[in-house]
Amino acid sequence: MTDLRLTEIFYSLQGETRTVGLPTVFVRLTGCPLRCAYCDTEYAFHGGEKWSLQAIQEKVASYHPRYVTVTGGEPLAQPNCWPLLTALCDQGYEVSLETSGAISLLGVDSRVVKVMDLKTPASNEMSRNLYENIELLSPQDQIKFVICDRKDYEWARFKLDEHRLVDRVDEVLFSPSFGQIESAELAEWILADNLPVRFQVQLHKLLWNDAAGH
């Protein structure tokens, strides 16, 4: 039986990425091998409940969504995440995967939009970046940098050029770490350097102050 451990399934507005603001069902899997300094979903590290693949599909379908995001924690830490992603695509949803970039993307269904982090120095998990994953990204995918300070910004700017990220993926996202850097400051840096990246803030935190279920 294909079971997964889930922290929550909920319907909300997408707070980040290219589909920000669009109604989306979120499937949050439990567990993560990383401990990023700025993590805002520590409640998903442990616990959760075991769900069958069929039960997840039925719950998602009850919302009649167009968009579904599989997130965590780190969803790929559970081997059954791969069949879950394929099953959701087979149901006709536009499926995205939010992943840390620390686990191989090999075998992820090609229909899935992968939103992959590159962990910056201030995340304290930079050593977990699996750079081979960049080669597995497609033109529909997105790469996200969470920026905590100027050092993070300069590091991200270097990686942008080193790996020619703008040419590889649909969007490169620069997001200010909530509570660590002023959003306007990061925006000004991007403008000053004329970087071809999308600046984003976390809409769900502005609307609901990061409450669970949003």
Side-chain angles (χ1 to χ4, degrees), residues 16 36-40 99-100 115-126 129 143-157 172-181 186 189 198-202 205:
E16 303 181 76
C36 299
Y38 47 69
C39 182
D40 57 5
T99 178
S100 65
V115 183
M116 189 187 83
D117 286 4
L118 280 180
K119 298 299 182 183
T120 61
S123 73
N124 294 335
E125 290 286 14
M126 184 177 66
N129 286 325
I143 291 179
K144 182 176 74 172
F145 294 89
V146 178
I147 308 296
C148 301
D149 53 30
R150 183 73 194 197
K151 181 180 178 181
D152 274 4
Y153 173 79
E154 295 296 344
W155 182 89
R157 193 173 67 158
V172 176
L173 311 167
F174 274 34
S175 181
S177 180
F178 190 75
Q180 290 188 273
I181 184 175
L186 175 57
W189 295 344
R198 180 184 293 274
F199 168 83
Q200 65 168 21
V201 293
Q202 294 173 298
K205 291 185 177 180

Tab-separated table of all heavy atoms in Angstrom, residues 16 36-40 99-100 115-126 129 143-157 172-181 186 189 198-202 205:
chain	number	residue	atom	x	y	z
A	16	GLU	N	3.722	32.230	-2.700
A	16	GLU	CA	5.011	32.459	-3.339
A	16	GLU	C	4.969	31.927	-4.771
A	16	GLU	O	3.962	31.414	-5.228
A	16	GLU	CB	6.126	31.754	-2.561
A	16	GLU	CG	6.233	32.156	-1.094
A	16	GLU	CD	7.366	31.450	-0.389
A	16	GLU	OE1	8.532	31.840	-0.600
A	16	GLU	OE2	7.093	30.501	0.363
A	36	CYS	N	17.088	24.499	8.548
A	36	CYS	CA	17.446	25.845	8.105
A	36	CYS	C	17.194	26.854	9.223
A	36	CYS	O	16.209	26.746	9.962
A	36	CYS	CB	16.640	26.225	6.869
A	36	CYS	SG	16.944	25.136	5.455
A	37	ALA	N	18.070	27.833	9.324
A	37	ALA	CA	17.993	28.809	10.414
A	37	ALA	C	16.686	29.581	10.408
A	37	ALA	O	16.186	29.981	11.461
A	37	ALA	CB	19.174	29.773	10.317
A	38	TYR	N	16.108	29.789	9.232
A	38	TYR	CA	14.902	30.610	9.110
A	38	TYR	C	13.631	29.775	8.939
A	38	TYR	O	12.583	30.311	8.581
A	38	TYR	CB	15.027	31.565	7.923
A	38	TYR	CG	15.522	30.895	6.651
A	38	TYR	CD1	14.737	29.981	5.963
A	38	TYR	CD2	16.791	31.167	6.154
A	38	TYR	CE1	15.186	29.357	4.821
A	38	TYR	CE2	17.258	30.553	5.003
A	38	TYR	CZ	16.449	29.650	4.338
A	38	TYR	OH	16.908	29.030	3.206
A	39	CYS	N	13.697	28.480	9.175
A	39	CYS	CA	12.555	27.605	8.897
A	39	CYS	C	11.288	28.107	9.586
A	39	CYS	O	11.301	28.443	10.774
A	39	CYS	CB	12.848	26.180	9.348
A	39	CYS	SG	11.496	25.037	8.972
A	40	ASP	N	10.187	28.137	8.835
A	40	ASP	CA	8.906	28.578	9.388
A	40	ASP	C	7.889	27.440	9.450
A	40	ASP	O	6.702	27.681	9.678
A	40	ASP	CB	8.346	29.761	8.592
A	40	ASP	CG	8.186	29.449	7.105
A	40	ASP	OD1	8.410	28.287	6.704
A	40	ASP	OD2	7.839	30.374	6.343
A	99	THR	N	10.823	22.044	-2.872
A	99	THR	CA	11.869	21.166	-2.361
A	99	THR	C	13.123	21.956	-2.007
A	99	THR	O	13.414	22.998	-2.607
A	99	THR	CB	12.204	20.066	-3.389
A	99	THR	OG1	13.264	19.242	-2.887
A	99	THR	CG2	12.603	20.652	-4.731
A	100	SER	N	13.857	21.439	-1.050
A	100	SER	CA	15.058	22.107	-0.541
A	100	SER	C	16.233	22.036	-1.497
A	100	SER	O	17.200	22.788	-1.354
A	100	SER	CB	15.468	21.467	0.789
A	100	SER	OG	15.858	20.110	0.578
A	115	VAL	N	9.955	23.689	-7.753
A	115	VAL	CA	10.411	24.949	-7.161
A	115	VAL	C	11.502	24.575	-6.164
A	115	VAL	O	11.224	24.109	-5.059
A	115	VAL	CB	9.266	25.708	-6.473
A	115	VAL	CG1	9.773	27.044	-5.927
A	115	VAL	CG2	8.100	25.925	-7.434
A	116	MET	N	12.744	24.749	-6.571
A	116	MET	CA	13.878	24.240	-5.805
A	116	MET	C	14.660	25.370	-5.150
A	116	MET	O	14.995	26.361	-5.796
A	116	MET	CB	14.804	23.439	-6.721
A	116	MET	CG	15.903	22.694	-5.980
A	116	MET	SD	17.105	21.933	-7.093
A	116	MET	CE	18.196	23.333	-7.419
A	117	ASP	N	14.956	25.198	-3.879
A	117	ASP	CA	15.812	26.143	-3.166
A	117	ASP	C	17.280	25.903	-3.502
A	117	ASP	O	17.701	24.766	-3.739
A	117	ASP	CB	15.666	25.966	-1.655
A	117	ASP	CG	14.366	26.518	-1.101
A	117	ASP	OD1	13.520	26.975	-1.892
A	117	ASP	OD2	14.201	26.479	0.128
A	118	LEU	N	18.047	26.978	-3.484
A	118	LEU	CA	19.490	26.891	-3.287
A	118	LEU	C	19.759	27.564	-1.949
A	118	LEU	O	19.466	28.752	-1.772
A	118	LEU	CB	20.264	27.567	-4.415
A	118	LEU	CG	20.424	26.750	-5.700
A	118	LEU	CD1	21.207	27.539	-6.741
A	118	LEU	CD2	21.128	25.414	-5.433
A	119	LYS	N	20.268	26.789	-1.008
A	119	LYS	CA	20.436	27.271	0.356
A	119	LYS	C	21.638	28.213	0.457
A	119	LYS	O	22.750	27.868	0.056
A	119	LYS	CB	20.603	26.094	1.316
A	119	LYS	CG	19.392	25.165	1.364
A	119	LYS	CD	18.140	25.891	1.825
A	119	LYS	CE	16.945	24.948	1.921
A	119	LYS	NZ	15.707	25.670	2.297
A	120	THR	N	21.397	29.381	1.017
A	120	THR	CA	22.416	30.425	1.138
A	120	THR	C	23.266	30.215	2.397
A	120	THR	O	22.907	29.416	3.273
A	120	THR	CB	21.739	31.797	1.208
A	120	THR	OG1	20.890	31.819	2.369
A	120	THR	CG2	20.915	32.074	-0.039
A	121	PRO	N	24.380	30.945	2.529
A	121	PRO	CA	25.229	30.767	3.714
A	121	PRO	C	24.493	30.936	5.039
A	121	PRO	O	24.696	30.153	5.975
A	121	PRO	CB	26.304	31.841	3.525
A	121	PRO	CG	26.409	31.996	2.043
A	121	PRO	CD	25.010	31.833	1.528
A	122	ALA	N	23.620	31.935	5.144
A	122	ALA	CA	22.947	32.206	6.418
A	122	ALA	C	21.866	31.189	6.754
A	122	ALA	O	21.353	31.183	7.874
A	122	ALA	CB	22.357	33.613	6.412
A	123	SER	N	21.532	30.320	5.816
A	123	SER	CA	20.568	29.257	6.120
A	123	SER	C	21.164	28.217	7.057
A	123	SER	O	20.446	27.445	7.688
A	123	SER	CB	20.118	28.561	4.832
A	123	SER	OG	21.154	27.730	4.316
A	124	ASN	N	22.494	28.166	7.119
A	124	ASN	CA	23.252	27.147	7.860
A	124	ASN	C	23.130	25.751	7.247
A	124	ASN	O	23.497	24.762	7.879
A	124	ASN	CB	22.841	27.095	9.340
A	124	ASN	CG	23.197	28.359	10.085
A	124	ASN	OD1	24.112	29.083	9.697
A	124	ASN	ND2	22.466	28.645	11.155
A	125	GLU	N	22.615	25.680	6.024
A	125	GLU	CA	22.488	24.388	5.339
A	125	GLU	C	23.049	24.444	3.920
A	125	GLU	O	22.696	23.625	3.078
A	125	GLU	CB	21.017	23.947	5.306
A	125	GLU	CG	20.446	23.535	6.652
A	125	GLU	CD	20.945	22.183	7.138
A	125	GLU	OE1	21.932	21.661	6.575
A	125	GLU	OE2	20.340	21.641	8.083
A	126	MET	N	23.927	25.390	3.665
A	126	MET	CA	24.478	25.546	2.320
A	126	MET	C	25.178	24.278	1.841
A	126	MET	O	25.150	23.949	0.651
A	126	MET	CB	25.448	26.730	2.289
A	126	MET	CG	26.009	27.049	0.915
A	126	MET	SD	27.081	28.512	0.935
A	126	MET	CE	28.441	27.918	1.963
A	129	ASN	N	23.279	21.670	-0.439
A	129	ASN	CA	22.878	21.901	-1.829
A	129	ASN	C	23.406	20.787	-2.726
A	129	ASN	O	24.602	20.500	-2.737
A	129	ASN	CB	23.415	23.242	-2.336
A	129	ASN	CG	22.679	24.432	-1.761
A	129	ASN	OD1	21.476	24.373	-1.526
A	129	ASN	ND2	23.398	25.524	-1.534
A	143	ILE	N	13.793	28.381	-9.375
A	143	ILE	CA	14.801	28.284	-8.321
A	143	ILE	C	14.591	29.444	-7.360
A	143	ILE	O	14.385	30.585	-7.782
A	143	ILE	CB	16.228	28.317	-8.900
A	143	ILE	CG1	16.510	27.028	-9.674
A	143	ILE	CG2	17.262	28.507	-7.797
A	143	ILE	CD1	17.887	26.980	-10.304
A	144	LYS	N	14.648	29.129	-6.071
A	144	LYS	CA	14.396	30.150	-5.049
A	144	LYS	C	15.605	30.323	-4.139
A	144	LYS	O	16.191	29.344	-3.679
A	144	LYS	CB	13.172	29.770	-4.204
A	144	LYS	CG	12.819	30.809	-3.146
A	144	LYS	CD	11.536	30.441	-2.408
A	144	LYS	CE	11.743	29.319	-1.435
A	144	LYS	NZ	10.557	29.085	-0.580
A	145	PHE	N	15.958	31.577	-3.888
A	145	PHE	CA	16.956	31.941	-2.890
A	145	PHE	C	16.249	32.701	-1.771
A	145	PHE	O	15.572	33.704	-2.043
A	145	PHE	CB	18.027	32.856	-3.482
A	145	PHE	CG	18.893	32.233	-4.541
A	145	PHE	CD1	18.520	32.278	-5.879
A	145	PHE	CD2	20.094	31.623	-4.204
A	145	PHE	CE1	19.328	31.730	-6.864
A	145	PHE	CE2	20.908	31.069	-5.183
A	145	PHE	CZ	20.525	31.117	-6.514
A	146	VAL	N	16.398	32.248	-0.544
A	146	VAL	CA	15.925	33.016	0.610
A	146	VAL	C	17.112	33.828	1.117
A	146	VAL	O	18.125	33.269	1.540
A	146	VAL	CB	15.372	32.100	1.712
A	146	VAL	CG1	14.944	32.928	2.923
A	146	VAL	CG2	14.193	31.283	1.182
A	147	ILE	N	16.978	35.146	1.052
A	147	ILE	CA	18.085	36.057	1.336
A	147	ILE	C	17.951	36.611	2.751
A	147	ILE	O	16.934	37.222	3.095
A	147	ILE	CB	18.099	37.225	0.323
A	147	ILE	CG1	18.064	36.701	-1.126
A	147	ILE	CG2	19.300	38.124	0.572
A	147	ILE	CD1	19.259	35.905	-1.537
A	148	CYS	N	19.004	36.397	3.558
A	148	CYS	CA	18.989	36.855	4.950
A	148	CYS	C	19.788	38.137	5.165
A	148	CYS	O	19.510	38.879	6.119
A	148	CYS	CB	19.549	35.773	5.870
A	148	CYS	SG	18.658	34.202	5.807
A	149	ASP	N	20.796	38.380	4.327
A	149	ASP	CA	21.664	39.540	4.518
A	149	ASP	C	22.420	39.816	3.215
A	149	ASP	O	22.222	39.127	2.206
A	149	ASP	CB	22.641	39.315	5.681
A	149	ASP	CG	23.432	38.012	5.556
A	149	ASP	OD1	23.683	37.560	4.410
A	149	ASP	OD2	23.814	37.440	6.594
A	150	ARG	N	23.282	40.814	3.249
A	150	ARG	CA	24.018	41.193	2.041
A	150	ARG	C	24.931	40.066	1.558
A	150	ARG	O	25.084	39.851	0.345
A	150	ARG	CB	24.842	42.461	2.305
A	150	ARG	CG	25.582	42.983	1.074
A	150	ARG	CD	24.649	43.621	0.070
A	150	ARG	NE	25.274	43.830	-1.227
A	150	ARG	CZ	24.807	44.641	-2.171
A	150	ARG	NH1	23.695	45.326	-1.966
A	150	ARG	NH2	25.421	44.760	-3.324
A	151	LYS	N	25.534	39.333	2.483
A	151	LYS	CA	26.396	38.219	2.091
A	151	LYS	C	25.606	37.178	1.307
A	151	LYS	O	26.078	36.653	0.292
A	151	LYS	CB	27.036	37.587	3.328
A	151	LYS	CG	27.970	36.425	3.013
A	151	LYS	CD	28.575	35.838	4.283
A	151	LYS	CE	29.463	34.637	3.967
A	151	LYS	NZ	30.035	34.035	5.210
A	152	ASP	N	24.400	36.876	1.771
A	152	ASP	CA	23.540	35.944	1.038
A	152	ASP	C	23.244	36.465	-0.365
A	152	ASP	O	23.245	35.709	-1.343
A	152	ASP	CB	22.212	35.756	1.779
A	152	ASP	CG	22.262	34.674	2.843
A	152	ASP	OD1	23.347	34.101	3.066
A	152	ASP	OD2	21.207	34.404	3.445
A	153	TYR	N	22.964	37.754	-0.446
A	153	TYR	CA	22.630	38.348	-1.737
A	153	TYR	C	23.794	38.221	-2.715
A	153	TYR	O	23.606	37.823	-3.876
A	153	TYR	CB	22.252	39.817	-1.552
A	153	TYR	CG	22.042	40.558	-2.848
A	153	TYR	CD1	20.857	40.417	-3.566
A	153	TYR	CD2	23.038	41.388	-3.364
A	153	TYR	CE1	20.671	41.088	-4.770
A	153	TYR	CE2	22.859	42.062	-4.558
A	153	TYR	CZ	21.674	41.905	-5.258
A	153	TYR	OH	21.495	42.565	-6.453
A	154	GLU	N	24.994	38.541	-2.254
A	154	GLU	CA	26.163	38.462	-3.134
A	154	GLU	C	26.432	37.015	-3.546
A	154	GLU	O	26.810	36.743	-4.690
A	154	GLU	CB	27.388	39.059	-2.441
A	154	GLU	CG	27.286	40.550	-2.166
A	154	GLU	CD	27.202	41.396	-3.429
A	154	GLU	OE1	27.526	40.884	-4.524
A	154	GLU	OE2	26.810	42.574	-3.334
A	155	TRP	N	26.243	36.095	-2.612
A	155	TRP	CA	26.423	34.671	-2.919
A	155	TRP	C	25.409	34.227	-3.971
A	155	TRP	O	25.754	33.534	-4.945
A	155	TRP	CB	26.261	33.851	-1.642
A	155	TRP	CG	26.458	32.377	-1.815
A	155	TRP	CD1	27.629	31.685	-1.718
A	155	TRP	CD2	25.443	31.402	-2.103
A	155	TRP	NE1	27.407	30.341	-1.932
A	155	TRP	CE2	26.080	30.143	-2.167
A	155	TRP	CE3	24.063	31.471	-2.308
A	155	TRP	CZ2	25.374	28.968	-2.433
A	155	TRP	CZ3	23.367	30.296	-2.578
A	155	TRP	CH2	24.021	29.067	-2.635
A	156	ALA	N	24.153	34.632	-3.799
A	156	ALA	CA	23.105	34.254	-4.747
A	156	ALA	C	23.369	34.858	-6.121
A	156	ALA	O	23.166	34.202	-7.154
A	156	ALA	CB	21.741	34.701	-4.219
A	157	ARG	N	23.837	36.085	-6.138
A	157	ARG	CA	24.150	36.735	-7.409
A	157	ARG	C	25.271	35.987	-8.135
A	157	ARG	O	25.225	35.814	-9.362
A	157	ARG	CB	24.545	38.188	-7.160
A	157	ARG	CG	24.597	39.026	-8.422
A	157	ARG	CD	24.829	40.484	-8.118
A	157	ARG	NE	26.157	40.716	-7.554
A	157	ARG	CZ	26.770	41.896	-7.590
A	157	ARG	NH1	26.172	42.940	-8.138
A	157	ARG	NH2	27.965	42.050	-7.062
A	172	VAL	N	13.722	32.783	-11.544
A	172	VAL	CA	14.614	32.763	-10.386
A	172	VAL	C	14.016	33.725	-9.371
A	172	VAL	O	13.752	34.892	-9.682
A	172	VAL	CB	16.050	33.178	-10.744
A	172	VAL	CG1	16.913	33.224	-9.483
A	172	VAL	CG2	16.644	32.211	-11.762
A	173	LEU	N	13.782	33.233	-8.173
A	173	LEU	CA	13.066	33.973	-7.138
A	173	LEU	C	14.028	34.400	-6.033
A	173	LEU	O	14.785	33.576	-5.511
A	173	LEU	CB	11.963	33.099	-6.535
A	173	LEU	CG	11.042	32.389	-7.534
A	173	LEU	CD1	10.215	31.325	-6.831
A	173	LEU	CD2	10.142	33.388	-8.238
A	174	PHE	N	13.990	35.670	-5.680
A	174	PHE	CA	14.735	36.184	-4.529
A	174	PHE	C	13.708	36.597	-3.479
A	174	PHE	O	12.888	37.486	-3.723
A	174	PHE	CB	15.585	37.394	-4.917
A	174	PHE	CG	16.944	37.055	-5.477
A	174	PHE	CD1	17.148	35.925	-6.241
A	174	PHE	CD2	18.025	37.891	-5.241
A	174	PHE	CE1	18.398	35.625	-6.770
A	174	PHE	CE2	19.283	37.606	-5.757
A	174	PHE	CZ	19.476	36.471	-6.522
A	175	SER	N	13.781	35.962	-2.324
A	175	SER	CA	12.798	36.203	-1.271
A	175	SER	C	13.499	36.665	0.001
A	175	SER	O	14.440	36.012	0.464
A	175	SER	CB	12.026	34.907	-0.991
A	175	SER	OG	11.056	35.092	0.003
A	176	PRO	N	13.081	37.785	0.597
A	176	PRO	CA	13.699	38.219	1.855
A	176	PRO	C	13.288	37.304	3.001
A	176	PRO	O	12.112	36.947	3.133
A	176	PRO	CB	13.141	39.632	2.053
A	176	PRO	CG	11.835	39.633	1.325
A	176	PRO	CD	12.015	38.709	0.155
A	177	SER	N	14.257	36.910	3.814
A	177	SER	CA	13.946	36.086	4.978
A	177	SER	C	13.128	36.911	5.965
A	177	SER	O	13.567	37.968	6.424
A	177	SER	CB	15.228	35.586	5.636
A	177	SER	OG	14.931	34.793	6.770
A	178	PHE	N	11.955	36.426	6.285
A	178	PHE	CA	11.000	37.166	7.104
A	178	PHE	C	11.601	37.503	8.468
A	178	PHE	O	12.069	36.635	9.193
A	178	PHE	CB	9.727	36.329	7.280
A	178	PHE	CG	8.582	37.059	7.899
A	178	PHE	CD1	7.849	37.978	7.171
A	178	PHE	CD2	8.231	36.828	9.220
A	178	PHE	CE1	6.779	38.649	7.730
A	178	PHE	CE2	7.159	37.493	9.796
A	178	PHE	CZ	6.438	38.409	9.050
A	179	GLY	N	11.635	38.795	8.793
A	179	GLY	CA	12.139	39.230	10.085
A	179	GLY	C	13.641	39.407	10.160
A	179	GLY	O	14.162	39.855	11.185
A	180	GLN	N	14.367	39.070	9.084
A	180	GLN	CA	15.826	39.185	9.101
A	180	GLN	C	16.357	40.294	8.214
A	180	GLN	O	17.456	40.803	8.452
A	180	GLN	CB	16.465	37.853	8.684
A	180	GLN	CG	16.311	36.747	9.708
A	180	GLN	CD	17.118	35.519	9.327
A	180	GLN	OE1	16.647	34.659	8.598
A	180	GLN	NE2	18.334	35.439	9.815
A	181	ILE	N	15.611	40.644	7.194
A	181	ILE	CA	16.039	41.694	6.275
A	181	ILE	C	14.799	42.437	5.810
A	181	ILE	O	13.729	41.838	5.631
A	181	ILE	CB	16.810	41.092	5.071
A	181	ILE	CG1	17.339	42.191	4.153
A	181	ILE	CG2	15.965	40.108	4.307
A	181	ILE	CD1	18.215	41.663	3.023
A	186	LEU	N	16.183	44.536	0.059
A	186	LEU	CA	16.485	43.551	-0.980
A	186	LEU	C	16.002	44.043	-2.341
A	186	LEU	O	16.702	43.894	-3.350
A	186	LEU	CB	15.840	42.205	-0.640
A	186	LEU	CG	15.982	41.109	-1.695
A	186	LEU	CD1	17.443	40.833	-2.030
A	186	LEU	CD2	15.280	39.824	-1.240
A	189	TRP	N	18.509	46.447	-3.793
A	189	TRP	CA	19.715	45.780	-4.294
A	189	TRP	C	19.467	45.190	-5.680
A	189	TRP	O	20.309	45.302	-6.576
A	189	TRP	CB	20.147	44.670	-3.337
A	189	TRP	CG	20.590	45.134	-1.989
A	189	TRP	CD1	20.939	46.411	-1.626
A	189	TRP	CD2	20.721	44.334	-0.814
A	189	TRP	NE1	21.281	46.450	-0.298
A	189	TRP	CE2	21.161	45.191	0.236
A	189	TRP	CE3	20.509	42.987	-0.531
A	189	TRP	CZ2	21.394	44.724	1.529
A	189	TRP	CZ3	20.741	42.515	0.754
A	189	TRP	CH2	21.181	43.378	1.772
A	198	ARG	N	12.889	37.496	-10.063
A	198	ARG	CA	11.606	37.942	-9.518
A	198	ARG	C	11.742	38.138	-8.008
A	198	ARG	O	12.061	37.199	-7.274
A	198	ARG	CB	10.503	36.921	-9.798
A	198	ARG	CG	9.132	37.360	-9.248
A	198	ARG	CD	8.073	36.288	-9.437
A	198	ARG	NE	7.746	36.068	-10.830
A	198	ARG	CZ	6.834	36.779	-11.502
A	198	ARG	NH1	6.192	37.764	-10.907
A	198	ARG	NH2	6.578	36.499	-12.764
A	199	PHE	N	11.516	39.360	-7.554
A	199	PHE	CA	11.445	39.633	-6.119
A	199	PHE	C	10.088	39.162	-5.618
A	199	PHE	O	9.060	39.393	-6.252
A	199	PHE	CB	11.610	41.130	-5.864
A	199	PHE	CG	11.281	41.546	-4.460
A	199	PHE	CD1	12.223	41.430	-3.454
A	199	PHE	CD2	10.026	42.046	-4.143
A	199	PHE	CE1	11.924	41.810	-2.152
A	199	PHE	CE2	9.715	42.426	-2.851
A	199	PHE	CZ	10.667	42.310	-1.851
A	200	GLN	N	10.080	38.489	-4.473
A	200	GLN	CA	8.804	38.053	-3.924
A	200	GLN	C	8.809	38.180	-2.404
A	200	GLN	O	9.844	38.017	-1.754
A	200	GLN	CB	8.497	36.603	-4.317
A	200	GLN	CG	9.458	35.576	-3.739
A	200	GLN	CD	8.952	34.151	-3.907
A	200	GLN	OE1	8.118	33.850	-4.755
A	200	GLN	NE2	9.452	33.250	-3.087
A	201	VAL	N	7.658	38.502	-1.871
A	201	VAL	CA	7.425	38.418	-0.434
A	201	VAL	C	6.417	37.301	-0.210
A	201	VAL	O	5.731	36.872	-1.138
A	201	VAL	CB	6.896	39.743	0.146
A	201	VAL	CG1	7.959	40.822	0.068
A	201	VAL	CG2	5.627	40.189	-0.572
A	202	GLN	N	6.321	36.824	1.010
A	202	GLN	CA	5.429	35.708	1.313
A	202	GLN	C	4.033	36.246	1.620
A	202	GLN	O	3.760	36.720	2.718
A	202	GLN	CB	5.996	34.896	2.478
A	202	GLN	CG	7.311	34.208	2.115
A	202	GLN	CD	7.952	33.544	3.310
A	202	GLN	OE1	8.303	34.213	4.280
A	202	GLN	NE2	8.093	32.236	3.260
A	205	LYS	N	2.064	35.319	4.782
A	205	LYS	CA	2.468	35.939	6.047
A	205	LYS	C	1.881	37.337	6.183
A	205	LYS	O	1.545	37.773	7.289
A	205	LYS	CB	3.992	35.972	6.149
A	205	LYS	CG	4.598	34.590	6.322
A	205	LYS	CD	6.093	34.638	6.544
A	205	LYS	CE	6.630	33.228	6.774
A	205	LYS	NZ	8.087	33.205	6.989
